[in-house]
Amino acid sequence: MKQKKENRRMTSIARKINRLWVWKRFASYICLDVMIVLMVITCWCVAGEISFFGSFHLLGPHRSFEMQGGIESIFYIVSQRGGETLRLNSGLFFVMLRTCAIITGVVQMISLIHSIRFDARLIRHQLHPLNELAKKAEELSSIAFDESKFQQLEDAISHVHPENEDEHLHISDKDLMGISVAVNNLMDRMRESYRQQSRFVSDASHELRTPISVIQGYVNMLDRWGKEDETVLTEAIEALKHESEHMSRLVEQLLFLARSDSGRNRMTIEEVSLTALMEEVFEESKMIDEGHVYQMKTEEPNDVTVMGDATMLKQTMRILADNAAKYTKQGDEIIFSVGASEEAFFSVQDTGTGMGESDVIHVFERFYRSDEARSSKSGGTGLGLSIAKWIVDKHKGHFDILSRKDLGTRITVYLPTKK
Ligand code: ATP
Ligand code: MG
């Protein structure tokens, strides 16, 4: 019912606007037509005078029209003072002028009638957004400010305990329903973020506990038997070195992720050559790892550049190179590639252990390691790719992972090209 009334109101407004517009057009057609007719008659008269007298003088001659019956017998008469008189039969000219005026008038009338019939609908359509706005404003102004409702909302919010996992805000009032849904969603998001944080802290402490226990074990062993026994001493020193290196790397990674979570990881964006960075990582890898055969493939163009943070992009390349070396058996090939088509890219490909689909979907999760990786002696923490993902996301890039169990893996990073 209300909708029908609203539709009728809109139609009547649109019609009013259309009527006004049609009147304006009608008036302008009349003015324009009269002006054109006057101009055509003047030109015709001037042309007639010039062809008869050889020249045209505005002042001096006496001019008049003479009509001896119908429009066909109109004469244009020009008499020069003390000279010749021009008597021009204008019948045919006026008949033609009348025909043209009638045709123009009919066309203009048809266009006005068309506007009267159809343009109101068009105006209604164009007024639609304005009408919606007016309706919203009306709705808003019709919401009565009811203080007791807000009191009820305040009470409900202050009685919620966000630390209880399943507790939510319950408000039965229809007007406040939207607010309660928004507050509940916010609480859920905060709980999820809190859950993630505490999982991270507990995983981090768990990971740190292992090297600490190993260090403690060896220190105790040294204390009891190692002082005099050369073999125990060498083994303990080796293990302590290894564990402290592992711990220091873990702490570095944790600090990086903690800084990125709190938005304290600053990036220096500049023009960076991916080709040059990849070549540096390639040389480094060849030097520190003689157990694998490294290859570098540079695709077109010769120098791929992007806007980014050079240190972080290099860190990403090192993470990929480190994984390829860690999960590929000695003597096998590892291929680094750089190129650009629509996007710039770099990739590291190996012929190592590879991963199943169920592993690939988790590799960016913090502390995730596949069962094979855990059981191998590679000794990672499961943070490398989480760090790489953060860096690539910050560069508005994305990953592509192609991996088959026992065949190998290729991880490609795509980055937007420099505009
Ligand atoms: P670290 O933090 O020391 O790098 P990590 O290598 O175990 O430890 P990520 O680099 O995050 O951790 O990799 C996560 C997991 O993804 C690895 O444990 C491994 O299971 C799998 N993975 C990553 N790269 C490869 C690869 N090239 N081949 C096979 N598995 C891989
Ligand atoms: Mg790794």
Side-chain angles (χ1 to χ4, degrees), residues 249 253 319-320 322-324 326-327 369 380-385:
R249 185 155 176 269
Q253 289 178 315
I319 289 169
L320 301 187
D322 177 56
N323 281 351
K326 219 156 43 175
Y327 305 114
R369 304 196 72 210
T381 51
L383 291 176
L385 286 179

Side-chain angles (χ1 to χ4, degrees), residues 207 210-211 242-243 246-247 249-250 253 322-323 326-327 367-370 372-385:
E207 290 294 326
T210 318
H242 179 260
E243 285 308 319
H246 174 59
M247 213 160 93
R249 185 155 176 269
L250 177 60
Q253 289 178 315
D322 177 56
N323 281 351
K326 219 156 43 175
Y327 305 114
F367 297 107
Y368 181 83
R369 304 196 72 210
S370 66
E372 285 83 5
R374 270 177 207 288
S375 58
S376 74
K377 290 203 185 88
S378 57
T381 51
L383 291 176
L385 286 179

